[in-house]
Amino acid sequence: MRTGEYPIGEVKERTGLTERRIRYYESLNLIRPRRSEGNQRLYSERDIERLLEIKRLLDGGLSLRAIRNQMVQPSADEVERDAESYFEGKRIAHGARPHQASLYPLKDRAAIIRRLLRDQDREDGE
DNA sequence: ATTCTAACA
DNA sequence: TGTTAGAA
């Protein structure tokens, strides 16, 4: 394998995640490690960063579904629009927008949103 | 020895 | 999610 890529065993050690979870997150399209000729997963430095980020968000209280919605589905401008809404201090009743309400169930939403935006921005260049 | 897929307590 | 069987 090329330098800068690692087998799942090493990723397990470096992230503290179980192999099961690492592969499961891949099934959610949260990461897309390359495959070797023998069908072995090869994780890039970026895949690992991504896994660590997912771990941070989970610790922060976000559900996998919320993380998936944010990291996989929305375009950069969608996330930005949500961020703007937040920074403008808009208050919307949970019942009014149930889906949106579950997106950022945290106190430090601003920090999370900044991080998500940073990731979105980084997406295009690589 | 490691990793992979599929499947189920 | 954990874990395991059987293949690669």
Side-chain angles (χ1 to χ4, degrees):
Chain A
M1 68 183 92
R2 310 168 188 167
T3 59
E5 294 188 305
Y6 320 82
I8 197 166
E10 198 168 319
V11 177
K12 178 213 292 183
E13 300 177 345
R14 297 178 57 179
T15 63
L17 292 168
T18 62
E19 295 183 13
R20 176 73 163 83
R21 291 174 70 186
I22 295 171
R23 299 196 184 100
Y24 178 55
Y25 297 156
E26 177 184 346
S27 76
L28 298 180
N29 296 309
L30 259 27
I31 53 174
R32 323 192 123 178
R34 179 175 135 252
R35 293 299 186 107
S36 69
E37 291 181 19
N39 196 42
Q40 308 256 291
R41 272 169 267 246
L42 294 176
Y43 298 82
S44 67
E45 213 60 71
R46 201 185 142 204
D47 290 324
I48 294 177
E49 293 301 310
R50 190 97 164 171
L51 287 170
L52 291 172
E53 175 65 10
I54 292 167
K55 202 182 175 188
R56 281 194 288 277
L57 293 174
L58 286 173
D59 288 333
L62 282 186
S63 65
L64 262 180
R65 135 152 273 194
I67 294 174
R68 175 166 55 68
N69 288 336
Q70 286 307 314
M71 295 183 91
V72 180
Q73 294 183 350
S75 58
D77 41 293
E78 278 183 288
V79 175
E80 187 173 343
R81 174 168 50 61
D82 287 342
E84 286 176 7
S85 296
Y86 172 71
F87 290 122
E88 286 171 10
K90 291 184 179 178
R91 300 285 169 137
I92 301 173
H94 283 192
R97 38 189 302 198
H99 291 185
Q100 294 290 45
S102 65
L103 243 41
Y104 306 110
L106 245 46
K107 308 76 187 172
D108 53 323
R109 293 176 175 173
I112 292 177
I113 293 173
R114 274 190 229 101
R115 212 175 293 137
L116 289 168
L117 285 171
R118 185 201 62 195
D119 288 346
Q120 282 293 153
D121 290 333
R122 190 201 299 155
E123 289 294 329
D124 313 307
E126 298 177 31

